[in-house]
Amino acid sequence: MTDTRHGPLRLRPAHERDAPFLERMLLEAFNWDRPRFALAELLALPRAAHYVSGWPRAGDFGVVAEDARGRGLGAAWARLFPADDPGYGHVSPSVPELTLAVASGERGRGVGGALLDALVLAAEEAGCPGLSLSVEDGNRARGLYERRGFVPVGREGNADTLALRLGG
Ligand SMILES: CC(C)(COP(=O)(O)OP(=O)(O)OC[C@H]1O[C@@H](n2cnc3c(N)ncnc32)[C@H](O)[C@@H]1OP(=O)(O)O)[C@@H](O)C(=O)NCCC(=O)NCCS
């Protein structure tokens, strides 16, 4: 069991009311190495905002990590994108793209790994053929993915597209 600052970690499905929290976690993902964007700036960029806009859409699924007080610590979620409106880690319209982030003060204690495991399980249960994502050069998050079987399948700019094949 992973412990947070306030007791054991709890994982639960992401609901419609979590949309503002997912927006904050999207910001953490885009600002992974430095403060590049404010939230309003990020959400004004269609190619970024479409990871969360209208949450939840048909086919979306996600997991939220909370501490014992119900405070959000991080989230992982997956969304399908059509070929003419891809995310940064697109491989196929039938393979959802994964977004993962943990609040900055809570990293390095297993929250991200637990979220990733739960999301992969949810993808398997949903019958997804796989999951994909984009990881920029230098992001240590890459190790989390590779330890779970994600492999590089493409490259765009300074980022690799990683994908995990599932049985669905
Ligand atoms: C990546 C992230 C979700 C991992 O969550 P976490 O709770 O710190 O992860 P865990 O404690 O389960 O596992 C630690 C692993 O996470 C990775 N990691 C990435 N950034 C990290 C950070 N700032 N602190 C600690 N671990 C980090 C490493 O692979 C680390 O493994 P290592 O010890 O072998 O280097 C989290 O650090 C984060 O939100 N980073 C900013 C957003 C981001 O980069 N999202 C992914 C975009 S592809």
Side-chain angles (χ1 to χ4, degrees):
M1 172 67 73
T2 297
D3 277 327
T4 68
R5 285 190 199 285
H6 299 291
L9 176 72
R10 296 176 181 177
L11 297 177
R12 62 162 176 81
H15 304 297
E16 185 173 356
R17 65 181 151 84
D18 294 311
F21 183 65
L22 299 193
E23 290 176 355
R24 280 175 43 214
M25 293 301 103
L26 184 71
L27 184 68
E28 297 279 356
F30 274 83
N31 287 346
W32 67 271
D33 60 342
R34 62 181 190 276
R36 306 176 194 210
F37 302 101
L39 184 58
E41 289 170 339
L42 187 74
L43 296 179
L45 298 173
R47 206 174 170 197
H50 70 171
Y51 284 95
V52 289
S53 52
W55 175 269
R57 286 196 319 223
D60 289 348
F61 54 94
V63 185
V64 170
E66 294 178 334
D67 67 14
R69 298 175 179 179
R71 197 172 54 94
L73 304 174
W77 68 99
R79 170 166 275 188
L80 293 167
F81 293 97
D84 62 358
D85 182 29
Y88 289 96
H90 189 77
V91 298
S92 155
S94 62
V95 173
E97 274 192 53
L98 155 69
T99 305
L100 169 68
V102 170
S104 58
E106 304 289 345
R107 295 177 190 160
R109 304 167 185 216
V111 177
L115 280 167
L116 186 55
D117 288 339
L119 198 81
V120 169
L121 193 62
E124 282 174 332
E125 287 172 355
C128 295
L131 284 168
S132 71
L133 60 95
S134 173
V135 61
E136 287 188 88
D137 296 343
N139 191 340
R140 284 167 52 209
R142 186 183 184 111
L144 272 184
Y145 304 127
E146 290 184 334
R147 282 195 287 277
R148 287 163 178 81
F150 283 81
V151 295
V153 293
R155 184 156 182 88
E156 185 182 331
N158 64 342
D160 280 333
T161 299
L162 305 186
L164 176 70
R165 188 183 289 269
L166 297 172

